[in-house]
Amino acid sequence: QASQISVLHCFSFRGGAEFLFDGVKKHQVTLPSQPEPWDIRNLLQWIKQNLLKERPELFLQGESVRPGILVLINDSDWELMGELDYQLQDQDNVLFISTLHGG
């Protein structure tokens, strides 16, 4: 049985990505409880619906982040953590860094 405890997470946006989120760099978020564990795939859709303020195409591509956005989970590259399939743990810190700089 999946636990129904809501967990607190910290999401940070840097390198210009924060401008898609009203300039807010750090969000403390309690995700709603759901039957399945939260993974990054679900999280990105939740961020799109709840935090993203403008131009989602600059943050998301398909169900993932755009190329050029670095994702760190607890200071580790998400490529080492399973990317979209990584299941969020309580108190995880997820950092999105845009390496794209417009002219």
Side-chain angles (χ1 to χ4, degrees):
Q1 165 150 349
S3 73
Q4 291 300 314
I5 299 169
S6 297
V7 291
L8 178 71
H9 302 287
C10 179
F11 307 127
S12 300
F13 303 93
R14 297 280 188 279
E18 67 272 15
F19 296 117
L20 303 176
F21 298 87
D22 273 353
V24 179
K25 289 188 174 185
K26 191 169 188 175
H27 299 259
Q28 295 282 356
V29 174
T30 301
L31 293 171
S33 57
Q34 60 178 28
E36 300 297 314
W38 280 92
D39 59 19
I40 297 292
R41 182 179 283 106
N42 296 336
L43 171 66
L44 289 174
Q45 293 309 308
W46 186 90
I47 286 175
K48 179 181 178 183
Q49 292 163 9
N50 295 279
L51 296 181
L52 193 57
K53 300 299 183 195
E54 57 184 274
R55 302 188 66 184
E57 71 278 4
L58 294 182
F59 184 68
L60 296 170
Q61 186 171 55
E63 64 178 10
S64 189
V65 292
R66 273 189 59 149
I69 293 185
L70 184 64
V71 183
L72 298 179
I73 301 168
N74 302 323
D75 298 323
S76 296
D77 190 324
W78 76 323
E79 291 179 5
L80 306 173
M81 313 282 283
E83 298 190 0
L84 292 171
D85 295 321
Y86 174 78
Q87 291 188 353
L88 290 167
Q89 309 298 315
D90 193 14
Q91 307 292 323
D92 270 354
N93 194 349
V94 184
L95 174 61
F96 300 91
I97 303 172
S98 175
T99 60
L100 307 169
H101 299 284

